């Protein structure tokens, strides 16, 4: 089998790793890939969003299965184009990917399907948005409806802040087209949880849930980022909670998407807030594996993911179980460049140990090789260092120790990934 992974970050390196492990004998390609995927796949110098070029490459390289990593090509219709060209693809159509690419649409689907989510309203005109803010209790969350690379949600402690955020997006166009429509919603209390499920549009297999760490600084302080680390599994997720997520969130959403004539297949990622009473509320949907969640979750899946993705793409999937149990625990620490999440400083030389250590996987994200072959910092999130272990505590120690053996100027990382889980284990 010839498999193409679209994308070039840590998630796509982890996807290549999982596919190489599970589909022995498969020939892998990545577009554009990175120096990490180069060890597992043939990198094709094509931007992930260059839909025409990717469709042409799928023909030229006679690709059997295309696995799409990021949201932008899905929202741009890459899956539709490949299906029209008679090719198998893992990832939703553009109409189904609207669950992520339009928060206004996702809210509408959830409201119709009765899925628990924060009360909200959608606006395109500033005066109406300001009236709504004035009439609602603090805190409020103001969100760009469109894709904003993780920068579209502003949690506002006060109405004044909420009004400023709305003005920023609707009047000043700070997020461009993504912010021409905004969603204003109630603030949800609780603990966040990322539940990723494989689905063919009707059946669901829930993967081991993970927790992301969005803030730059230890103790969840500082600016929001694309994610500074993740771990799985999360002890918060009892079988009873996962059963509620399936019945109250995943199944009704998939049913409503079928009813609308936009069946959803691929990974449905529900970003949840687990309320103090244990109820799951949807904060957002993503239409793909999360990054860095993929780097923690994929390595602890039992073998067979390649067959699952291919069967879903064929429309002939039989889930092996409704809930996929992890084979152990994983902690992923992201090593970021100086300056991140603002435009980072690129160019520093990266020094990796010859052997990262037993049970340690170093996934490349923002790296590049210069003309001499020296590995250098290229993007904000540079590497994702995953350690596997029997428990989250063991994996957390191993991930931090492995990061300590990697060097580049300006290396920025959190030494507390999985702190909530460690606190839970300590309190138990
Ligand atoms: P989103 O882009 O919708 O995932 O939001 C980014 C982050 O903002 C989430 O991961 C939460 O930490 C926070 N957030 C978004 N919406 C809410 C909400 N309604 N209540 C509390 N926090 C939220």
């Amino acid at each position: 089998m010839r498999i193409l992974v679209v994308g070039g970050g840590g998630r796509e390196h982890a996807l290549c790793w999982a596919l190489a492990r599970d589909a022995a004998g498969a020939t892998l390609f990545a577009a554009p890939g990175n120096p990490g995927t180069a060890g597992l796949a043939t990198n094709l110098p094509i931007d992930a969003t260059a839909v025409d070029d990717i469709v042409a490459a799928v023909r030229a390289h006679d690709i059997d299965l295309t696995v799409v990593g990021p949201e932008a090509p899905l929202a741009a219709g890459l899956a539709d184009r490949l299906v029209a060209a008679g090719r198998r693809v893992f990832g939703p159509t553009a109409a189904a990917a609207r669950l992520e690419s339009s928060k206004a649409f996702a809210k509408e689907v959830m409201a119709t399907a009765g899925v628990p989510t924060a009360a909200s309203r959608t606006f395109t005109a500033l005066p109406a948005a300001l009236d709504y803010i004035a009439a609602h209790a603090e805190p409020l969350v103001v969100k760009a409806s469109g894709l904003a690379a993780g920068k579209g949600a502003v949690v506002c402690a006060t109405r004044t802040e909420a009004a400023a955020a709305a003005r920023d997006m609707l009047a000043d166009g700070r997020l461009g087209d993504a912010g021409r429509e905004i969603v204003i919603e109630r603030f949800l209390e609780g603990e966040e949880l990322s539940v990723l499920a494989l689905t063919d549009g009707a059946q669901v297999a829930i993967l081991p849930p993970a927790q992301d760490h969005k803030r730059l600084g230890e103790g969840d302080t500082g600016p929001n980022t694309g994610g500074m680390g993740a771990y799985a599994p999360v002890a918060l997720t009892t079988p009873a909670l996962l059963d509620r997520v399936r019945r109250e969130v995943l199944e009704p959403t998939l049913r409503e998407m079928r009813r609308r004539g936009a069946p959803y297949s691929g990974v449905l990622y529900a970003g949840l807030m687990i309320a103090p009473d244990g109820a799951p509320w949807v904060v957002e949907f993503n239409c793909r594996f999360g990054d860095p969640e993929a780097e923690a979750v994929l390595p602890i899946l039992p073998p067979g993911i390649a067959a699952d993705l291919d069967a879903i793409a064929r429309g002939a999937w039989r889930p092996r179980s409704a809930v996929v149990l992890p084979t152990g625990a994983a902690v992923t620490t992201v090593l970021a460049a100086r300056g991140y999440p603002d435009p980072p400083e690129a160019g520093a030389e990266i020094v990796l140990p010859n052997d990262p250590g037993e049970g340690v996987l170093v996934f490349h994200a923002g790296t590049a090789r210069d003309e001499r072959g020296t590995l250098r910092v290229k993007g904000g999130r540079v590497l994702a260092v995953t350690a596997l272990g029997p428990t989250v505590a063991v994996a957390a120690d191993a991930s931090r120790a492995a990061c300590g053996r990697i060097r580049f100027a300006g290396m920025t990382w959190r030494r507390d990934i999985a702190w909530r889980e460690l606190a839970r284990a300590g309190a138990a």
Side-chain angles (χ1 to χ4, degrees):
M1 182 152 69
R2 297 164 73 79
I3 308 176
L4 170 66
V5 173
V6 175
R11 164 183 48 214
E12 288 74 26
H13 188 184
L15 279 166
C16 285
W17 178 89
L19 294 168
R21 182 191 67 170
D22 286 6
T27 305
L28 299 182
F29 296 82
N34 63 36
T37 65
L40 300 163
T42 302
N43 285 347
L44 306 174
I46 305 172
D47 193 90
T49 54
V51 171
D52 288 339
D53 295 345
I54 289 177
V55 174
V58 165
R59 286 208 182 91
H61 295 280
D62 200 17
I63 301 296
D64 299 299
L65 171 67
T66 302
V67 178
V68 186
E71 61 278 19
L74 292 165
L78 177 57
D80 310 64
R81 291 282 305 279
L82 289 171
V83 169
R87 301 284 169 165
R88 297 203 295 281
V89 57
F90 179 81
T93 62
R98 286 184 77 211
L99 276 181
E100 174 168 2
S101 65
S102 167
K103 289 190 193 285
F105 172 77
K107 282 291 193 182
E108 196 188 298
V109 168
M110 286 189 270
T112 316
V115 171
T117 186
S120 73
R121 278 254 315 265
T122 297
F123 299 94
T124 51
L126 183 61
L130 296 178
D131 286 349
Y132 182 87
I133 290 167
H136 283 78
E138 301 167 341
L140 285 165
V141 185
V142 178
K143 298 181 178 183
S145 181
L147 293 179
K151 299 192 180 77
V154 189
V155 176
C156 306
T158 64
R159 288 192 198 93
T160 312
E161 276 177 56
R167 194 168 287 117
D168 234 24
M169 294 181 199
L170 288 178
D172 302 345
R174 191 175 56 84
L175 294 172
D177 281 346
R180 292 203 197 292
E181 183 178 51
I182 64 170
V183 171
I184 304 180
E185 69 181 26
R186 234 193 73 203
F187 178 81
L188 297 170
E189 302 276 357
E191 185 164 342
E192 284 186 73
L193 185 71
S194 304
V195 176
L196 284 70
L198 300 180
T199 179
D200 61 358
Q203 308 172 94
V204 170
I206 300 180
L207 305 182
Q211 221 163 29
D212 186 10
H213 299 61
K214 284 270 175 219
R215 302 294 198 98
L216 181 68
E218 287 172 14
D220 294 336
T221 55
N224 260 318
T225 70
M228 294 299 290
Y231 71 93
V234 184
L236 182 69
T237 52
T238 58
L241 174 62
L242 288 187
D243 195 49
R244 282 190 74 172
V245 172
R246 161 195 308 285
R247 284 184 293 107
E248 296 175 21
V249 174
L250 301 172
E251 288 177 349
T253 301
L254 294 171
R255 200 177 304 125
E256 176 60 17
M257 293 301 286
R258 294 198 302 275
R259 195 187 67 78
R260 289 172 180 246
Y264 185 102
S265 86
V267 179
L268 181 57
Y269 165 150
L272 303 175
M273 192 69 83
I274 309 303
D277 69 358
W281 293 75
V282 176
V283 174
E284 62 162 351
F285 284 122
N286 292 320
C287 63
R288 38 145 181 120
F289 286 101
D291 192 344
E293 287 94 333
E295 291 96 303
V297 172
L298 291 170
I300 56 169
L301 295 184
I305 184 84
D308 282 322
L309 303 193
D310 192 51
I312 288 172
R314 283 177 190 276
W317 185 48
R318 289 186 177 208
R320 286 166 291 163
S321 56
V323 171
V324 179
L325 296 178
T327 57
V331 173
T332 302
T333 304
V334 168
L335 304 181
R338 179 163 28 229
Y340 181 74
D342 291 329
E345 185 182 302
E349 179 177 348
I350 303 167
V351 182
L352 294 175
N354 289 332
D355 176 6
E358 172 79 17
V360 175
L361 301 163
V362 178
F363 294 119
H364 289 237
T367 70
R369 287 202 189 277
D370 66 16
E371 59 288 350
R372 292 216 186 102
T374 303
L375 196 63
R376 296 198 178 272
V377 169
K378 181 182 164 211
R381 290 187 292 172
V382 180
L383 296 164
V385 181
T386 296
L388 306 174
T391 63
V392 168
V394 170
D397 282 343
S399 178
R400 310 203 219 295
C403 292
R405 294 191 290 273
I406 296 173
R407 307 239 177 280
F408 59 84
M411 185 168 116
T412 303
W413 55 294
R414 285 180 59 168
R415 291 160 180 79
D416 70 342
I417 301 304
W419 68 269
R420 286 175 187 277
E421 191 73 5
L422 302 181
R424 245 192 295 277

